[in-house]
Amino acid sequence: SNDNMFMVGDVKQSIYGFRLADPGLFLEKYHRFGSSDLTEERIILARNFRSRKQVVEAVNYLFRQILSKKLGGIAYDKDAELVYGAGYPQELDQGTLEMTGGIELCLLESQETEDGTDCEEQDDSGLAEGLAVEEQDEPDSLQMEAKAAAARIRELTGKKVWDKGIGQYRELTYRDVVVLLRSTRTAAPAFLEEFRLQGIPAYADVGSGYFAAQEVQLMLSLLKIIDNPRQDIPLAAVLRSPVAGFSAEELSKIRLFLPRGDFYDALRLAARKDLGKEDRRLKDFLKKLHAWRTYSRRNSLPDLVWRLYSETGYYDYVGALPGGKQRQANLRALYNRAGEYESTNLKGLFKFLRFLEKIQETNNDLGTARALGEKEDVVRIMSIHKSKGLEFPVVFLAGLGRKFNLTDLKAEILIDKDLGLGPPWLDCINRYKYPTLVKLAIRNKLKRELLAEEARILYVALTRARESLILLGSVKNLEKRVKKWSMAVSQEGWELPLSLLSQAVTYLDWIGPALLRHPDGEPLRKLLGAEEAIMLRDAESRWDIKLLHRNDIRQKSAAFNGKEEFHRVRNLLPLMFEEECPDFITARLEWQYPQKTLTAIPAKLSVTEIKHRYQQLAQ
């Protein structure tokens, strides 16, 4: 029978084009199953059981204008739009809590170029051909967005969120907040650093950098000299580390004992000479190294790694450094990977080190170890792709002013599965080249597919929020940018013109024109002067649009710096509170273990100890 196949999916959430996912396969069935053929039935599951009504309405408002058959392959009609079905308490929908107002959009105006022109305007020359430059965002813009996010997180502290697990309201915690970024490789460090300065615990899994971690590099160097001590660079790294504790000047003195040859021979020669206080340390280190080398030949590799952790104290040492949990997790991962390696047919320290070298030679990385669980009270910073399938009470979507990555459109030869190869035309005599018609056609097709993919990524990001959605984006010369968005301000109907959508280089180039036609878009329309906009009448969403300058962000971030508190703690002075000591602090300081008497009962007693206790009772 052919009527026993069931397929499920949402083409609006197809965001894996880089893995060659083809939304056209789903769209073909979506349109075919919607025909009048009774043998093939299409069931629309549009009800959203995750988000509050204001989030659902905001998503619908944006994508009625952005998504269309020309951009995305599917019209955002009654069948495609979201339907509110989460069933949150009604009193919260009426706005009794401040955080459940409109969806927030914070536009941060960053600096212009030195000549006063707009950097984004300079890129428009290559926009028609899909040759927009790669992301060249200033680190300062990311820092400003991170400052704005930190200030807003502190404002949300103490607000109430609905907990589905317990069926009641509770105070918002850091783990309820997530910061979503299109790419975390360059942006996440800026947010982590700013959150750290603002006293907000945060975590970002960038998925790489394991071998680059300092603690992993040191332990690998120690394993290398245990395998073969006649390796100068790993040996010097271990000697300069906390494991041995030698300074650069002391290593220079050791080298003078044998200016030529292996540094290991110089080390042994220096240990036999009189170096004063260094003499004992050299002999102790060589003695430990000899013991570790003997142990490595007689025991398993994971046992050796754990012995190094315990005898050197390095595992506890890195735990006291900034980011200690992550560092210790990386060391535990090295121990676990050593155990996994020995569980195969391959054995020994030498082969394990060669195995790791081959991984690094192929430019691969094992990825940093996961350092926290789902219940850790930290703000998550993750990419939109990794957030797919997850949900959070409060979502910050940052980096909306960053340019799309159109690097693939600049390749010499473009390839498409339908149109084939698109090579350039080379004139070897006159020494010039220009794109062929086939290459231009393929470039336009690939650009439309790329923009459709970015629209779906934006859709996934916006639908992660349960209660509050806060959008952050930086714009150079906001007034000029808004004027570019206004080309459709008098457009009738929901869909924005394809010419405007296809010229977008950032997410803001879609969100801005859509909000210019919203009743709450007055802050943007004021920048247009006397121009009027045609409002979309049935726009039910509510937006809170804030236009912030760099100085506004600095003033907000200056509200918390902790300098005064740090100064008092360093000088052993009591901290000053506006009120009396909070009850939770008093309760923690005066807490006593309720079963304290049980701690005096030993796990086992010898006959002599029993006899001694009876003697004490008799007295």
Side-chain angles (χ1 to χ4, degrees):
S1 175
N2 296 325
D3 56 355
N4 59 355
M5 180 178 292
F6 174 77
M7 293 171 285
V8 62
D10 184 3
V11 72
K12 301 187 300 297
Q13 299 190 51
S14 176
I15 60 174
Y16 295 101
F18 64 94
R19 295 178 181 171
L20 302 183
D22 186 3
L25 299 176
F26 183 89
L27 287 172
E28 185 274 330
K29 294 178 174 58
Y30 178 84
H31 296 302
R32 176 163 58 87
F33 278 57
S35 62
S36 58
D37 189 351
L38 298 180
T39 61
E40 298 174 340
E41 183 181 4
R42 184 177 71 186
I43 303 174
I44 303 298
L45 304 175
R47 193 167 295 275
N48 180 285
F49 298 97
R50 169 185 298 158
S51 306
R52 287 195 176 276
K53 193 172 183 179
Q54 67 267 19
V55 175
V56 171
E57 291 172 349
V59 172
N60 287 337
Y61 174 79
L62 288 179
F63 285 92
R64 285 170 187 160
Q65 304 179 66
I66 297 174
L67 274 186
S68 63
K69 288 188 177 181
K70 296 180 180 179
L71 181 68
I74 183 173
Y76 201 82
D77 51 17
K78 292 295 182 181
D79 291 337
E81 68 181 18
L82 298 175
V83 178
Y84 172 67
Y88 282 91
Q90 185 64 28
E91 63 270 14
L92 222 61
D93 288 338
Q94 296 176 358
T96 57
L97 289 183
E98 181 183 354
M99 67 171 291
T100 59
I103 305 303
E104 298 180 30
L105 172 64
C106 297
L107 293 178
L108 315 178
E109 187 171 19
S110 55
Q111 286 182 335
E112 301 178 3
T113 55
E114 294 181 358
D115 58 357
T117 59
D118 186 0
C119 290
E120 295 181 2
E121 184 178 1
Q122 295 173 356
D123 298 334
D124 289 346
S125 60
L127 200 58
E129 297 182 0
L131 293 177
V133 297
E134 300 178 28
E135 297 175 0
Q136 296 177 352
D137 305 285
E138 298 178 2
D140 185 61
S141 298
L142 293 174
Q143 185 182 15
M144 291 297 105
E145 293 183 28
K147 287 180 182 292
R152 192 68 183 99
I153 290 173
R154 290 201 305 271
E155 293 174 358
L156 292 174
T157 304
K159 295 294 189 297
K160 300 290 185 178
V161 295
W162 178 257
D163 193 316
K164 295 181 180 179
I166 61 178
Q168 62 183 18
Y169 301 118
R170 59 169 175 79
E171 287 192 0
L172 180 139
T173 59
Y174 289 124
R175 68 172 178 266
D176 296 321
V177 182
V178 65
V179 177
L180 298 183
L181 299 164
R182 179 63 177 86
S183 175
T184 58
R185 185 176 298 274
T186 58
F191 279 81
L192 286 173
E193 179 64 18
E194 189 58 39
F195 284 5
R196 183 186 67 82
L197 294 175
Q198 299 294 331
I200 298 176
Y203 172 78
D205 183 10
V206 296
S208 62
Y210 181 77
F211 290 119
Q214 182 180 7
E215 60 277 0
V216 175
Q217 284 284 336
L218 176 59
M219 294 312 301
L220 290 179
S221 296
L222 184 54
L223 291 174
K224 287 179 182 179
I225 64 172
I226 291 175
D227 175 55
N228 178 13
R230 297 185 180 277
Q231 301 181 74
D232 289 356
I233 295 178
L235 180 58
V238 173
L239 292 173
R240 285 282 287 118
S241 71
V243 172
F246 289 92
S247 64
E249 183 180 358
E250 290 170 339
L251 294 186
S252 300
K253 292 181 180 179
I254 293 172
R255 192 43 155 165
L256 292 177
F257 282 89
L258 187 65
R260 296 179 179 274
D262 296 334
F263 194 81
Y264 179 65
D265 291 332
L267 189 67
R268 296 174 59 190
L269 184 60
R272 293 196 297 266
K273 302 293 182 179
D274 185 11
L275 287 179
K277 64 178 181 180
E278 293 86 2
D279 184 36
R280 186 72 261 165
R281 283 189 297 154
L282 285 175
K283 290 182 179 180
D284 289 344
F285 176 76
L286 289 174
K287 184 178 179 180
K288 289 180 181 179
L289 181 60
H290 177 74
W292 292 334
R293 298 194 67 197
T294 303
Y295 189 86
S296 67
R297 293 190 293 267
R298 299 176 180 176
N299 297 273
S300 65
L301 181 58
D303 290 342
L304 171 65
V305 173
W306 198 256
R307 179 177 177 177
L308 295 177
Y309 292 168
S310 59
E311 291 190 2
T312 61
Y314 191 65
Y315 183 85
D316 297 327
Y317 171 81
V318 299
L321 297 176
K325 286 187 178 181
Q326 179 64 59
R327 296 176 188 271
Q328 288 184 331
N330 288 339
L331 292 180
R332 289 196 303 271
L334 180 63
Y335 169 78
N336 293 332
R337 283 156 182 162
E340 293 172 359
Y341 181 82
E342 288 243 327
S343 64
T344 63
N345 295 328
L346 301 175
K347 305 289 182 181
L349 176 58
F350 174 79
K351 293 182 178 180
F352 178 66
L353 293 174
R354 299 293 86 76
F355 168 72
L356 295 181
E357 286 180 1
K358 288 181 179 179
I359 293 179
Q360 298 180 70
E361 288 173 358
T362 56
N363 294 323
N364 291 326
D365 204 320
L366 298 177
T368 52
R370 186 174 180 84
L372 77 165
E374 295 182 358
K375 299 299 182 181
E376 292 286 342
D377 191 21
V378 297
V379 176
R380 266 73 173 178
I381 302 173
M382 64 176 62
S383 66
I384 299 174
H385 283 85
K386 287 191 176 182
S387 72
K388 190 172 185 295
L390 304 179
E391 59 182 53
F392 300 89
V394 179
V395 171
F396 285 81
L397 179 55
L400 294 176
R402 306 184 72 187
K403 294 182 178 65
F404 298 145
N405 186 3
L406 304 180
T407 308
D408 293 342
L409 304 182
K410 298 176 5 181
E412 281 293 326
I413 299 178
L414 298 179
I415 303 176
D416 181 72
K417 61 183 181 63
D418 298 321
L419 301 181
L421 293 177
W425 172 264
L426 299 177
D427 190 331
C428 298
I429 299 177
N430 297 316
R431 303 183 66 82
Y432 65 83
K433 66 178 179 180
Y434 55 87
T436 60
L437 291 177
V438 177
K439 183 175 182 178
L440 292 176
I442 293 177
R443 179 188 295 168
N444 291 334
K445 182 175 183 292
L446 293 179
K447 185 185 176 183
R448 288 197 303 270
E449 294 176 352
L450 185 145
L451 292 177
E453 179 92 356
E454 294 294 341
R456 294 191 293 267
I457 292 174
L458 178 62
Y459 179 85
V460 170
L462 297 180
T463 53
R464 299 308 96 196
R466 293 211 315 246
E467 303 200 28
S468 185
L469 180 59
I470 301 168
L471 311 181
L472 294 169
S474 301
V475 179
K476 297 180 178 68
N477 199 329
L478 181 57
E479 186 175 351
K480 287 185 178 180
R481 207 63 187 167
V482 171
K483 288 182 179 179
K484 292 182 180 180
W485 296 341
S486 65
M487 64 177 294
V489 74
S490 300
Q491 176 85 14
E492 294 185 357
W494 276 96
E495 289 186 7
L496 290 171
L498 183 62
S499 59
L500 176 64
L501 296 175
S502 61
Q503 290 181 11
V505 293
T506 68
Y507 290 128
L508 287 179
D509 291 336
W510 289 332
I511 298 174
L515 293 183
L516 272 173
R517 303 194 292 167
H518 193 279
D520 296 333
E522 187 63 26
L524 295 176
R525 289 191 294 272
K526 285 183 178 179
L527 299 176
L528 296 178
E531 297 185 39
E532 297 182 357
I534 296 180
M535 304 298 172
L536 298 176
R537 297 179 180 178
D538 54 347
E540 299 179 357
S541 60
R542 293 293 173 264
W543 291 82
D544 181 11
I545 301 176
K546 302 175 182 178
L547 308 181
L548 301 176
H549 195 267
R550 298 159 55 89
N551 295 332
D552 301 329
I553 302 299
R554 289 194 178 98
Q555 291 175 2
K556 284 190 174 184
S557 63
F560 175 86
N561 52 32
K563 291 183 179 179
E564 182 179 352
E565 290 81 359
F566 179 75
H567 175 75
R568 298 187 68 86
V569 170
R570 185 174 59 182
N571 291 279
L572 302 180
L573 298 175
L575 293 177
M576 304 301 295
F577 293 95
E578 296 180 0
E579 303 176 357
E580 296 183 358
C581 186
D583 295 337
F584 75 92
I585 295 181
T586 304
R588 289 187 180 183
L589 294 177
E590 296 180 354
W591 181 85
Q592 292 185 356
Y593 182 53
Q595 305 295 334
K596 188 176 181 179
T597 55
L598 298 179
T599 62
I601 301 177
K604 60 181 180 179
L605 285 172
S606 65
V607 177
T608 304
E609 289 175 328
I610 296 175
K611 179 181 178 181
H612 181 67
R613 292 196 175 196
Y614 275 111
Q615 289 177 351
Q616 290 180 341
L617 292 175
Q619 294 176 357

